[in-house]
Amino acid sequence: MSERSRLVQETRPDHEEVVGGLSTLDRFLPVWIGLAMVVGLLAGRWVPGLAEALDAVKVASVSLPIALGLLLMMYPVLAKVRYDRLDTVTADRKLLVLSLLLNWVIGPALMFALAWLLLPDLPEYRTGLIVVGLARCIAMVIIWNDLACGDREAAAVLVALNSLFQVLAFGLLGWFYLSVLPGWLGLDTAGLDVSFWTIAGSVLVFLGIPLAAGYLTRRLGEARKGRDWYEGRFLPRIGPVALYGLLFTIVLLFALQGSAITSQPLDVARIAVPLLAYFALMWTGSLVAGWLAGLDYPRATTLAFTAAGNNFELAIAVAIAVFGVTSGEALAGVVGPLIEVPVLVALVYVGLRTRRFFPRHRTPGRVTHV
């Protein structure tokens, strides 16, 4: 090993050091998610009428149980972001441009292409996957990024930017990819009629509310008590709520589709194929793009995980609001976490093995506030 390589490796955060710094809840996140999936599947399979009961508790097209889970999951994450540090990412033009391009141009287009290519005869599942491709990851990506020794502050800022962009653009992109683009390409959508306003309204409720609440909490909390109190006492108290909200939401989602998942294994397998291809292509392509752009490993791996991950909870919430709780579109979204969790955990270790190929330009702060 050259002297330069040795110095680079010694100054980078160690995976075991990062894992040791995580809470027990965060460290075993894949285990808790797996257990939540199992509980949801069993409940949906063995509790008669559960899906109908959960679907009945709603206002207009908004499922209140799922809305509660999403709010609990996303609010603490968005309350942790240092909004006054947005310039740490926006000043890095390469990272910012690559992230926007990968998340909002390449990612949705790739999922659209894979869905039509691999599910030409299954329009409901195909539509569900296209919706998944529009929902950029804003929650679990923080954990995958930490485990892979990525730049935590950059990840948190990209989460905030993705959240804001989703509120503004999700409805328009959903309408474009589901209604407009297939017509331009001469594809048969079998009379699919998707309302821009229904999609936009769902995103505004499920994502806009926690984003606004997180921003206002930080502004008001720091103004009244100061940053030390906010980050040292308040954030540790609300941090675990994000995981509880995530697990609660996963249990609900798998309960709603438990019968369909266990009774239609071949359909689940077919949905899994484009998802596997999507994760592999997006993560690998993003990491290579970061390397070609001259990013160091922490920021390149942050770019890869924020581009490859998807916000399945939001996608399923939108699918339920637009197509119904027991629809094939909702099932396609529910299959997502079954594939995403093991694949992205595996990619954490693949990413760690690529560190020696990256130059080192900076040592990112390993902070706990984001």
Side-chain angles (χ1 to χ4, degrees), residues 291-358:
W291 179 77
L292 291 174
L295 299 180
D296 60 7
Y297 171 80
R299 292 211 161 186
T301 199
T302 294
L303 177 69
F305 280 103
T306 53
N310 289 86
N311 187 351
F312 286 99
E313 297 78 17
L314 178 62
I316 298 166
V318 171
I320 290 173
V322 178
F323 303 103
V325 68
T326 58
S327 64
E329 290 85 354
L331 175 61
V334 171
V335 172
L338 281 171
I339 309 303
E340 181 184 40
V341 172
V343 169
L344 292 189
V345 169
L347 289 175
V348 165
Y349 293 95
V350 174
L352 289 168
R353 296 181 68 86
T354 69
R355 286 195 288 181
R356 65 182 182 275
F357 299 111
F358 284 84

Side-chain angles (χ1 to χ4, degrees), residues 158-174:
L158 290 178
V159 160
L161 292 175
N162 274 339
S163 302
L164 179 60
F165 207 89
Q166 283 184 92
V167 172
L168 300 175
F170 194 109
L172 179 61
L173 289 174

Side-chain angles (χ1 to χ4, degrees), residues 246-289:
L246 172 63
L247 298 179
F248 174 75
T249 305
I250 289 176
V251 169
L252 288 181
L253 295 176
F254 276 78
L256 290 171
Q257 292 286 348
S259 178
I261 291 174
T262 55
S263 63
Q264 303 174 45
L266 292 181
D267 286 354
V268 172
R270 289 200 60 184
I271 295 170
V273 172
L275 285 170
L276 285 169
Y278 174 85
F279 290 133
L281 291 172
M282 281 300 294
W283 187 88
T284 303
S286 301
L287 193 71
V288 171

Side-chain angles (χ1 to χ4, degrees), residues 214-226 229-230:
Y215 174 77
L216 290 174
T217 300
R218 176 170 279 278
R219 287 293 301 271
L220 296 176
E222 289 189 357
R224 295 187 62 184
K225 297 280 191 174
W229 174 87
Y230 184 84

Side-chain angles (χ1 to χ4, degrees), residues 81-100 103 151-162 295 299 302-303 306 362 370:
V81 176
R82 281 185 170 180
Y83 293 93
D84 60 349
R85 295 294 303 277
L86 292 179
D87 60 339
T88 62
V89 169
T90 56
D92 190 337
R93 296 297 178 87
K94 291 181 180 178
L95 178 62
L96 180 63
V97 171
L98 281 173
S99 180
L100 292 175
N103 274 289
D151 187 326
R152 186 186 289 186
E153 185 155 299
V157 173
L158 290 178
V159 160
L161 292 175
N162 274 339
L295 299 180
R299 292 211 161 186
T302 294
L303 177 69
T306 53
R362 62 183 69 81
V370 292

Side-chain angles (χ1 to χ4, degrees), residues 34 83 137 199 206 265 321 335 367:
Y83 293 93
C137 191
I199 297 176
F206 294 127
V335 172
V367 293

